[in-house]
Amino acid sequence: MTDNIPQLTTFDEPALNGAFATLAAEVREASASLTTSDAQENFRLHWLGRKQGRLKLISDAWLKSAPAEAKKALGIRFNQLKQQIEEAIESGAVATAKSGATQEIDISLPGQIRQPGIAHPLLSTMHEVVRVFHHLGFSTSLGPQVESDFYNFEALNFPPNHPARDTQDTLQIAGQQSRPSRDRLLMRTHTSPVQIRTMIAQAPPIRIVIPGKVHRNDAADATHSPIFHQIEGLCVDTNITFSDLKGTLDYAMKALFGSAVKTRFFPSFFPFTEPSADVQISCIFCGGTGCRKCKHSGWIELLGCGMVDPAVFAAVTAERRKLNPDDDAYNPEHITGFAFGMGVERIAMMLHGVSDIGHFYSGDMRFLEQFA
Ligand SMILES: [Zn+2]
């Protein structure tokens, strides 16, 4: 680089005129080809680079050997040269922008067609189920995915160390050991904590559906995933009976799967409902005569449900009495309720004939496009 630095030995007016005329010519020549932004950037680095720029190298060399009285004249001329370089870059950039503008827009070409987005099959299934319950007068409630042990387990009648907790093992948030067990945070294992939150916040009557994401310590396979989606429902009022539960779910299943669908209820167990039931619907593929999808039984298990356990109302009442010691809104002598829950993935898999739950989370367009 230093080899290319022109030498200047005399600093009188004619010498400076000659030397700067040569440099100005060099800049002019190089600036003739600044037609792309790359070329402009290279030109700028070559001349104005802060450490190895040609302008800096030359001015350093010349100012060092110049006598004191010539330094001012040199400084003025270097400033003029710098201005000439900057103008060359500027006019190159303007020219590039202009020619680019005329080249890139051709209004006779067809426009770019944007693919319309669609709801993910899990979301659309969730919306479909929620819509059925909206028609029955239910509203939607949502809650946090990071929950406290109290809302996720204790208030729902899973006492600490109760074996029922084993069925809903989940991720615990780290660093909670110093907290009382009811305040420790975890990823919620069901959407039921929102039932508790809603009842603590408002008195009956309550009719809500709760769609949402839940987490469990399940190994992923064709039908299990450590993260999945649930829709739960809760109805609390005076004179709510098991018949109301049966009628509501029977109506909802017919609305979802067709009016020919039948439902039947089997005794089951959930800590937060008593009595509890599993609900089966007649097979939507064979109409109940038996096929591979229903394992030749004619029935498909789809929901869990039951009457709200009085222990749940007691937990809610204890919380409400912290704010109002006389609160008696959830006295099980006066009010009753039912709750139900279903897995969104299971319904979506059944409706669309999806054989592996993993497809829903893969983000594979070949799979998702089929729902467009
Ligand atoms: Zn069948």
Side-chain angles (χ1 to χ4, degrees), residues 351-366:
L351 281 176
H352 303 296
V354 177
S355 56
D356 190 330
I357 198 171
H359 287 312
F360 290 123
Y361 318 116
S362 67
D364 189 334
M365 288 302 288
R366 292 168 302 177

Side-chain angles (χ1 to χ4, degrees), residues 1 26-27 30-31 33-50 52-55 85 88-89 92-93 96:
M1 202 80 183
E26 193 183 329
V27 169
S31 64
S33 55
L34 298 182
T35 49
T36 66
S37 51
D38 276 356
Q40 287 149 23
E41 179 60 11
N42 287 337
F43 177 80
R44 191 187 65 76
L45 283 175
H46 175 74
W47 281 101
L48 302 180
R50 250 194 298 166
Q52 293 295 313
R54 190 158 169 73
L55 191 65
I85 295 166
I89 297 171
T96 310

Side-chain angles (χ1 to χ4, degrees), residues 216-228 345 349 354-361:
R216 294 203 190 167
N217 183 16
D218 283 346
D221 63 23
T223 53
H224 293 85
S225 161
I227 299 176
F228 59 101
E345 276 80 350
M349 287 169 86
V354 177
S355 56
D356 190 330
I357 198 171
H359 287 312
F360 290 123
Y361 318 116

